[in-house]
Amino acid sequence: HRAMVVTLGDVAASGEALAGSDVVSERLLAAGMAEDVVAEKRVQFAAAAAHLLSQEGSTREQSAKIFWVPGRIEVAGKHTDYAGGRSLLAATSRGFTVVCTDRDDAQCQIFTTFGHGRGRASAMLPICVELQPQAGHWTAYPAVVIRRLARNFGISKGINIAVECDLPESSGMSTSSAVICYMWMALAERNQIRSSPTFVENLRTNEELYTYLGFIENGQDCGKVLTGDMGVGTFGGSEDHTAIMSGEASKLKLFSYCPTTHERTVN
């Protein structure tokens, strides 16, 4: 779940390219995604890039970072993560295609869709610890991530984020936690969080990162340094974030929790 760096023009062109002949398709195919699914995703990536290209000052030569963020399937182990149990997890072939460009200010502009074309929205959110998430609004999840990362890592570099999504709403495939994950990915890359001493010293393994993402959502402390803040108003564990961040093509993964531990991968 590290960024692929391309140009906005390359991403926009991927929707019209022959299958496998563009940079987006090559990356997705190499990750094990089926050709028919890749064809769908490159159209989604192109649509997200088009949103950014429509903004004043954007150019096709502009550098962009892209991410694929899947939904998750809970094969077994419902509501076990916050109780220290186990769950068997898989990533889905539906999810979020995310395209990002850098900003020169401390603002986060988001263009989003709500699954299968059921509406579009945009918002501009300041990157600061005083940001107040609006309960019940779609921006609450992005705002919670911005506020927590500003508090824990001192982020200040802005970003434009355009999203396309083919996850059905309220499908049980963890749309909300996927938002937490893609906001982390985009802001972490923009602000080089992974190379910061705070990250290196406190999130030493992938499993610790998955736990932290769950704590962003529920507001809990993640140790003594990565102190908690307001979450989104629901209490849960890190199962969803673990599945989204660790999922691989054609594999099931068994994790236990409290602490999050990878126990087995099933092909």
Side-chain angles (χ1 to χ4, degrees):
H1 288 91
R2 302 301 293 272
M4 176 180 178
V5 182
V6 291
T7 67
L8 272 181
D10 285 340
V11 185
S14 66
E16 300 177 355
L18 295 174
S21 65
D22 61 285
V23 292
V24 175
S25 293
E26 290 174 2
R27 178 70 171 266
L28 295 176
L29 288 167
M33 189 175 284
E35 289 187 10
D36 58 332
V37 180
V38 169
E40 298 171 354
K41 298 301 173 276
R42 61 195 180 95
V43 171
Q44 290 178 231
F45 274 115
H51 282 300
L52 297 182
L53 282 171
S54 69
Q55 302 305 300
E56 184 177 355
S58 294
T59 67
R60 296 182 68 86
E61 293 73 31
Q62 186 173 358
S63 179
K65 298 181 179 71
I66 67 172
F67 304 88
W68 161 243
V69 185
R72 69 100 180 93
I73 295 174
E74 184 181 63
V75 180
K78 193 172 185 63
H79 294 300
T80 58
D81 50 351
Y82 49 82
R86 292 178 171 83
S87 59
L88 187 62
L89 307 170
T92 73
S93 60
R94 293 192 176 190
F96 291 87
T97 50
V98 184
V99 181
C100 308
T101 56
D102 294 347
R103 296 178 61 90
D104 295 327
D105 56 18
Q107 300 285 326
C108 180
Q109 186 173 34
I110 306 170
F111 302 91
T112 191
T113 59
F114 297 107
H116 294 293
R118 289 198 294 271
R120 298 182 181 274
S122 64
M124 184 78 78
L125 301 174
I127 297 176
C128 63
V129 296
E130 295 85 11
L131 177 60
Q132 294 295 322
Q134 184 179 343
H137 194 264
W138 71 267
T139 58
Y141 280 78
V144 161
V145 180
I146 292 170
R147 180 182 167 110
R148 181 72 177 257
L149 297 184
R151 175 181 293 271
N152 290 163
F153 297 100
I155 67 169
S156 60
K157 294 181 179 179
I159 193 169
N160 300 307
I161 302 174
V163 175
E164 292 288 321
C165 177
D166 61 1
L167 271 176
E169 289 187 72
S170 302
S171 62
M173 289 190 280
S174 201
T175 305
S176 299
S177 294
V179 174
I180 298 288
C181 292
Y182 80 62
M183 289 298 299
W184 155 259
M185 294 177 197
L187 289 168
E189 286 284 342
R190 175 68 178 111
N191 290 274
Q192 299 180 315
I193 291 178
R194 290 177 181 269
S195 61
S196 71
T198 301
F199 180 91
V200 173
E201 293 168 9
N202 294 279
L203 299 174
R204 294 165 295 178
T205 66
N206 287 332
E207 288 87 349
E208 288 178 345
L209 172 59
Y210 308 155
T211 299
Y212 176 65
L213 296 177
F215 287 165
I216 291 177
E217 187 164 341
N218 66 32
Q220 288 184 284
D221 292 341
C222 186
K224 295 180 179 180
V225 175
L226 303 177
T227 54
D229 193 20
M230 61 175 63
V232 298
T234 59
F235 181 81
S238 60
E239 175 194 281
D240 297 341
H241 317 81
T242 297
I244 291 164
M245 296 293 289
S246 71
E248 297 182 71
S250 303
K251 294 181 180 180
L252 299 176
K253 296 201 173 183
L254 179 67
F255 282 87
S256 58
Y257 304 94
C258 301
T260 303
T261 304
H262 176 230
E263 296 192 350
R264 186 181 304 174
T265 296
V266 182
N267 294 314

